[in-house]
Amino acid sequence: MNFSIKKICCIGAGYVGGPTMAVFANHCPNIKITVVDINQKRIQAWKSNDPAEFPIFEPQLDELVLNCRDKNLFFTTNLEKSISEADMIFISVNTPTKTKGVGAGKASDLKWVEASARQIAKFSNSHTIVVEKSTLPVKTAETIKKILSGSQENNSGKTEKSFSVLSNPEFLSEGNAINDLENPDRVLIGGDDEKAIDALSEIYSNWVPKNKILKTNIWSSELSKLTANAFLAQRISSINSISALCESTGADINQVKKAIGMDTRIGEKFLSAGPGFGGSCFQKDILNLVYLSSFYQLEEVANYWQGVIDINNWQKSRISRLVVNYLFGNVSEKKIAILGFAFKANTNDTRQSPSINICRDLLEEGAHLSIFDPKVENSKIKDDLQNDLNKIEVVQENGSWEIASSVLDAANGSDAIILLTEWDQFLNIEWNELIKLMRKPAWVFDTRSCIDFKSARKAGFNVWTIGNAPFFNE
């Protein structure tokens, strides 16, 4: 018997569930797709007629949602109804790193995944295909299967329930998520039920060439997701380590990047030096690998991947120390403009953003920060800087911050500008106008190597760009 998929439910309306289901709905008009979340505020935001109020910013996402919403794409908090009607259910909930208990600091917290599985077991009817979409540790599917197998009948005992569990990890780059979904390098489907795999494959084949749909066993699928993110993060830590060496030796990181990127065995992608990687997945997935490796007593493997995290943390602290050193070893009561708070351009996501760590370091040194980001909500910036109670005491005693309304507002009266996110509007700043507003000597610290540094120098700024020796304007 082939499975006919007419209704899809996605549990989780976040960075994975929202964009993924919008693309599904756009390409599969005959399938009713319901995105369900217990967060009422988030669901209401998805229902807004103003795309600026959507909980997630991604280029092109607003067009897809507005085109499909209330036609075959729906957002709701009604979990029971959404699950009971679905032929296929995607689990797209958050899986943060555990903060306490066994595996704290490394293992993923799977409480939302387990809760979702229990709700599916409770409310589903007949046969349901359950798809892991969240980033999960290897063997999580086994846990889901055990939970689902505990409920094979509905309350009346008349209709037998059955489940197929698949792994279909996302490989999305925030800021480019819609393009990644529309034109994926590959779609990975892991499982042991060929009919269920075929059913999901048929959905993707509406827009993805079949030779890009890769079918594996479920364990390989889960591990492939962790490994892909670990390899990408490894490249970032590698180039960042070389950026420090370039600054010390007089080499130019951009020239080194071009030279090694032309080697086809290496390639040019993910070789841009920066303040460190951020986002919801890279650090979490590497820590998962560290935990799994230690669990299976592969300490050398665990130490190797821990090194990638260590370099990333070192890069962030290196930049904040460098800023202090160039500002005469003291930033107390000095105003510093922070341009960009999201972990990368074209997203409003701040999870694990290097900006958070760098700002906190400067606040501990007593700086006054004026922070501007074109997409991150002011409340989110405040929450990120205040979410650690121990840090709050330090910040309140020494440093302070404010939210700026523009680049000019942030720079007004500042001693330095630190560019932390490569937003397009930061690439063509009028440096001649900006320097008039600042205290002298004025500094620009470009952690993304993306500004017109010649114009900044000509305007009279001292300029530091990552992976290069600083330029002092006499």
Side-chain angles (χ1 to χ4, degrees):
M1 180 183 69
N2 294 325
F3 300 135
S4 177
I5 307 302
K6 297 180 180 178
K7 294 182 180 180
I8 289 175
C9 167
C10 176
I11 303 176
Y15 279 89
V16 175
T20 301
M21 293 301 113
V23 172
F24 272 41
N26 187 57
H27 287 286
C28 306
N30 296 325
I31 298 178
K32 178 184 176 182
I33 297 174
T34 303
V35 182
V36 61
D37 200 297
I38 60 174
N39 187 327
Q40 177 71 43
K41 183 178 178 181
R42 179 179 293 172
I43 291 298
Q44 286 303 121
W46 279 118
K47 290 181 175 183
S48 173
N49 291 323
D50 181 3
E53 295 182 3
F54 288 176
I56 296 167
F57 171 76
E58 280 286 338
Q60 305 174 43
L61 175 60
D62 54 350
E63 299 172 19
L64 292 178
V65 172
L66 294 176
N67 183 57
C68 300
R69 196 180 61 194
D70 298 327
K71 296 176 183 175
N72 69 321
L73 177 63
F74 302 89
F75 296 91
T76 182
T77 57
N78 193 332
L79 193 68
E80 179 176 352
K81 184 174 186 292
S82 302
I83 290 174
S84 64
E85 293 181 346
D87 308 304
M88 179 179 286
I89 300 175
F90 288 82
I91 298 178
S92 299
V93 295
N94 193 22
T95 54
T97 301
K98 292 181 70 174
T99 57
K100 58 184 179 181
V102 177
K106 292 184 174 67
S108 287
D109 188 342
L110 300 179
K111 64 181 180 182
W112 299 115
V113 174
E114 181 177 336
S116 297
R118 293 189 183 281
Q119 296 292 337
I120 293 169
K122 181 178 181 181
F123 298 126
S124 63
N125 293 305
S126 63
H127 186 78
T128 307
I129 300 173
V130 179
V131 185
E132 296 177 333
K133 200 66 178 171
S134 303
T135 301
L136 300 166
V138 181
K139 300 292 186 179
T140 301
E142 194 170 273
T143 300
I144 294 175
K145 285 182 178 180
K146 288 179 180 178
I147 293 172
L148 295 176
S149 65
S151 176
Q152 295 297 312
E153 293 184 346
N154 65 13
N155 293 334
S156 65
K158 295 179 181 179
T159 305
E160 183 178 339
K161 296 182 181 182
S162 59
F163 302 93
S164 298
V165 178
L166 303 178
S167 170
N168 177 222
E170 52 85 13
F171 296 99
L172 305 182
S173 172
E174 289 190 44
N176 196 50
I178 300 303
N179 184 61
D180 290 339
L181 287 162
E182 295 277 11
N183 305 287
D185 291 332
R186 77 295 200 195
V187 170
L188 187 56
I189 304 174
D192 53 19
D193 185 332
E194 291 186 9
K195 291 181 179 179
I197 292 173
D198 288 342
L200 182 53
S201 178
E202 282 300 311
I203 292 173
Y204 277 109
S205 66
N206 283 288
W207 74 97
V208 179
K210 289 192 175 183
N211 63 355
K212 287 191 174 184
I213 300 175
L214 180 63
K215 302 173 183 178
T216 70
N217 68 49
I218 203 161
W219 319 127
S220 295
S221 177
E222 290 180 332
L223 184 57
S224 293
K225 169 60 178 176
L226 298 182
T227 305
N229 280 341
F231 272 51
L232 293 173
Q234 176 197 53
R235 284 173 68 94
I236 296 174
S237 281
S238 294
I239 198 67
N240 282 343
S241 71
I242 300 303
S243 73
L245 191 58
C246 286
E247 292 164 27
S248 297
T249 61
D252 184 327
I253 189 62
N254 291 313
Q255 293 176 2
V256 173
K257 166 190 170 181
K258 184 175 181 179
I260 64 176
M262 291 177 72
D263 189 326
T264 56
R265 297 168 300 175
I266 298 174
E268 63 182 9
K269 294 183 178 180
F270 275 75
L271 288 180
S272 295
F277 57 76
S280 63
C281 289
F282 280 3
Q283 178 165 306
K284 179 183 69 173
D285 289 356
I286 296 175
L287 289 172
N288 252 317
L289 279 181
V290 172
Y291 178 73
L292 285 169
S293 299
S294 295
F295 179 81
Y296 289 107
Q297 299 180 350
L298 300 171
E299 292 304 324
E300 290 79 7
V301 178
N303 293 338
Y304 175 80
W305 289 111
Q306 182 62 50
V308 175
I309 295 289
D310 293 342
I311 286 290
N312 194 57
N313 292 334
W314 172 78
Q315 180 77 340
K316 291 180 282 189
S317 62
R318 182 177 82 87
I319 288 172
S320 56
R321 290 197 306 270
L322 182 147
V323 171
V324 173
N325 289 338
Y326 281 126
L327 294 182
F328 309 114
N330 171 46
V331 295
S332 180
E333 298 185 4
K334 291 179 180 177
K335 182 180 178 182
I336 299 176
I338 302 294
L339 300 187
F341 203 78
F343 83 92
K344 63 184 290 189
N346 293 322
T347 179
N348 60 350
D349 194 356
T350 64
R351 287 175 292 180
Q352 299 298 326
S353 175
S355 299
I356 299 172
N357 300 77
I358 292 170
C359 285
R360 282 178 178 162
D361 287 347
L362 294 173
L363 288 167
E364 287 184 16
E365 292 285 342
H368 174 66
L369 305 182
S370 185
I371 304 168
F372 172 68
D373 189 287
K375 290 296 179 182
V376 179
E377 293 181 358
N378 296 347
S379 59
K380 181 60 179 169
I381 295 174
K382 293 177 181 177
D383 287 344
D384 285 335
L385 291 178
Q386 291 179 335
N387 69 354
D388 185 327
L389 293 177
N390 293 327
K391 292 292 184 182
I392 290 176
E393 295 176 4
V394 174
V395 169
Q396 288 178 338
E397 180 182 350
N398 294 311
S400 60
W401 74 87
E402 65 183 13
I403 305 299
S405 59
S406 66
V407 173
L408 292 176
D409 184 29
N412 191 27
S414 294
D415 293 85
I417 295 170
I418 309 177
L419 190 146
L420 293 173
T421 310
E422 66 281 25
W423 288 103
D424 285 346
Q425 73 180 84
F426 299 159
L427 308 187
N428 298 300
I429 291 173
E430 293 292 336
W431 297 106
N432 285 321
E433 295 301 316
L434 221 55
I435 199 164
K436 297 175 184 177
L437 303 173
M438 298 181 64
R439 293 209 310 174
K440 312 300 186 295
W443 272 91
V444 176
F445 297 93
D446 180 8
T447 72
R448 298 288 183 171
S449 191
C450 64
I451 69 167
D452 183 351
F453 62 89
K454 290 183 179 179
S455 295
R457 290 173 179 177
K458 188 176 180 180
F461 282 95
N462 295 328
V463 180
W464 175 88
T465 59
I466 195 162
N468 289 273
F471 173 86
F472 295 92
N473 206 305
E474 299 298 336

